[in-house]
Every structure is written in C-alpha cells, then in structure tokens.
C-alpha cells in the first residue's frame, strides 16, 4: 500500500529546518548500540528547540510517521528499516548545566557524562547511571536504573513537547514511574529537558563509587560487544539472567546473535547479526524459560521498524 506521504515531503522537511543535519536512507546499523537495522527514510539530528517543534508540526500536518531516537542503546531496529523520519537530539538539546544542587540536562545529553560531571562538582545521586550508555531523554522514558538506583529517584520534573503543543513541564509524579517504565512510553511526547535534584557529596568519594561500579560492569557484562543491554525485564522476584541460564540458554546462538556467555541477560551481536536472528533467539529464550519456570519474560528493549519483506 502506498504511504500518504512521499519522498518529496521528506525533502521539503529537510529544507525547512535551519540547524539540523539530515540524511536520507540512513543505515540504523550506525545509530544503534546493537549495530543492527535497515535504513531510516530520513534521519534528522535537530539541534534547536525551534527546529524540533517545526519538525513535529510538519510531520503531523503531512501525516509523515516519525519517532524519537535517543542514543539508540535500548532498541532493536528491524532489517527493513524505519519508514518516515527518525529524529535525534543534538547541539543545545544535548547540553547540561548546574545551579546549586539542581542539574538541568537537555534530553540529548549522554547520561554517563552528566553523572560524572555531577560527581566532579560534588553532587551525589547519579552515580548509579555512570555506566548506562543512553541519553537523559531515554533515561526518563525508560526510567533507567542500575545498582539500586533509578532515574526516578533524582528527577524532579521534565519538559516535554508534542506536535502543535507548547512545551509543558511535568512533575515527577505525573510521569507514573515504575520499573523501566514511565507514562511517556504510551504517548508521542518528546522529552526536551530534565531537572534532577541532587545532594551535596564529596567528589573524591563519588569518583571512587563510580570507578567501582564501572569495574563491576566491565567484569560482569559484555561491554565490548554490540548489544542493547538487558533484553528482558526482570520478572518480580527473579533475575531474568538467572532464569535464562537455568533454562540452558546461556551461550545459545542464532545466526550472528548470541546469548552472552558472560551475562545471560544480554544478547550480543557477534558480527553479522540481523534483527531476525535476535528476534528468533529472543523467542527461543522465552519458550525455554517458560517451559522450565512458567515465567514469560517480557522484552525491555523497544523493537521498531519493518521486516525486510513488508
Ligand atoms: C551495554 C549496555 C548497558 C546497559 N545498561 C543499562 C542499565 O544498567 N540500566 C538500564 O536501565 N539500561 C541499560 N541499558 C539500556 C539503555 O542504555 C537505557 O534503556 C537507556 O535509558 C536508553 O537511552 P537511549 O537514549 O539510548 O534511548 P533509545 O534506546 O534511543 O530509546 C529508548 C526509548 O526511549 C524513547 N526516547 C529516547 N529519547 C527520548 C526523548 N528525548 N523523548 C521521547 N522519547 C525518547 C525512544 O523513542 C525509545 O522508545 C544498557 C544498554 C547497553 C547497550
């Protein structure tokens, strides 16, 4: 079926944006930590709020599908790629500043860099996030967490914007945070900025905590291979990795995808994995875990785009 929008409407969008970098047929392999995925029709890195709002309004008006990609560290893009526009945030939308104990971060800012900058200034609360490779916007949407901390512990409010709507501030409680969940997963709002309330701390001690967490991560996780982190959510009362290992799936392969021999919660791309490989392996793991424990693992990663034959 023909889409209601055309290549010409994507070209018009590219000319409307003043400070954006636009690439047609951009391979998502290069924009995701899994290093998997076919091309996005148009990848736009917007660097100003005005261009972001222009792009959202244009896509709504022209009925061009769009999605927001953070640093692409929690997504699996299918081999057929993504139709329409993939927006990423850079420039002024990826900076952060501090005022007293408050950190205000653009959604495109790397979460780990924010955590380290806060620690260096003697601000505590974000140490858990130092090794999470996503963006601040992704951390809000996913309520990213590790080592007994999660983003909802520190975030006070976020500013979001949607097509045809002025930016609006949402307080923490309005985001309905849960385990790897915020209400933003249900809508089409783009996170522009997050305000985090931190506590005074000792920079040296905070640096030492982050170095220890980094070392733990390097020892226990396959950080050297492309992945999207933990593939499945932790079921209540269990660790997904333990269930997967107990079901005999650690190290199991499908094409270029493998359940990491180091951490069974991760699926790694050993070199030439396709999204089909990963999806088939995920289904095998879910079936094996269900057969052994009666627990159906739920994906944590977001699966986006189209299959090759669609
Ligand atoms: C090696 C490795 C280790 C990891 N370890 C952890 C960990 O310890 N804890 C953890 O929680 N996660 C972990 N992750 C997963 C991932 O880093 C987090 O989920 C992170 O928060 C995702 O951020 P992102 O910017 O990459 O989002 P993306 O993967 O780009 O996007 C994820 C979702 O958020 C949406 N989104 C992103 N930015 C915005 C925005 N500005 N506005 C609206 N929607 C947005 C996207 O549309 C998508 O639905 C790990 C991943 C890897 C590869």
């Amino acid at each position: 079926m023909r889409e209601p929008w055309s290549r010409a409407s994507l070209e018009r969008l590219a000319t409307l944006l003043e400070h954006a970098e636009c690439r047609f047929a951009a391979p998502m392999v290069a924009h995701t930590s899994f290093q998997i995925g076919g091309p996005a029709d148009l990848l736009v890195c917007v660097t100003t709020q005005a261009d972001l709002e222009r792009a959202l309004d244009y896509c709504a008006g022209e009925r061009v599908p769009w999605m927001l990609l953070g640093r692409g560290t929690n997504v699996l893009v299918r081999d057929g790629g993504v139709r329409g526009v993939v927006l990423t945030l850079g420039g002024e939308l990826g900076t952060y500043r501090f005022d007293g104990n408050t950190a205000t971060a653009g959604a495109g800012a790397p979460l780990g860099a924010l955590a380290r900058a806060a620690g260096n200034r003697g601000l505590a609360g974000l140490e858990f996030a130092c090794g999470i490779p996503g963006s601040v916007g992704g951390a809000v949407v996913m309520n990213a967490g590790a080592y007994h901390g999660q983003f909802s512990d520190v975030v006070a409010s976020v500013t979001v914007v949607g097509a045809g709507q002025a930016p609006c501030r949402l307080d923490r409680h309005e985001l309905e945070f849960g385990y790897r969940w915020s209400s933003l997963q249900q809508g089409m709002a783009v996170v522009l900025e997050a305000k985090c309330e931190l506590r005074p701390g000792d920079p040296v001690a905070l640096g030492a905590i982050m170095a220890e967490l980094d070392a733990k991560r390097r020892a226990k996780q396959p950080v050297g291979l492309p992945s999207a982190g933990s593939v499945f959510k932790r079921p209540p009362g269990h660790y997904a990795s333990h269930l997967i290992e107990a079901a005999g799936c650690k190290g199991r392969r499908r094409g270029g995808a493998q359940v990491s021999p180091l951490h069974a919660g991760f699926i790694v791309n050993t070199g030439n994995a396709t999204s089909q490989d990963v999806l088939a392996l995920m289904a095998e793991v879910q079936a094996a875990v269900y057969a052994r424990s009666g627990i159906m693992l739920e994906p944590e990663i977001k699966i986006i785009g189209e299959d090759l034959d669609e």
Side-chain angles (χ1 to χ4, degrees), residues 257-282:
Q258 184 182 28
V259 176
S260 168
L262 188 59
H263 187 307
F266 283 53
I267 288 180
V268 291
N269 176 358
T270 61
N272 54 357
T274 63
S275 66
Q276 280 305 322
D277 293 339
V278 176
L279 291 168
L281 191 54
M282 284 172 66

Side-chain angles (χ1 to χ4, degrees), residues 26 58 66 99 145 147 155 187 190 222 245 285:
Y58 181 87
W66 63 272
D99 181 13
Y147 305 116
V155 71
V190 172
E245 193 169 348
V285 166

Side-chain angles (χ1 to χ4, degrees), residues 187-211:
M188 289 300 278
V190 172
V191 179
L192 264 181
E193 186 177 274
K195 267 193 198 313
C196 300
E197 286 306 330
L198 304 173
R199 308 178 304 276
D202 170 34
V204 176
L206 294 172
I209 293 170
M210 288 192 266

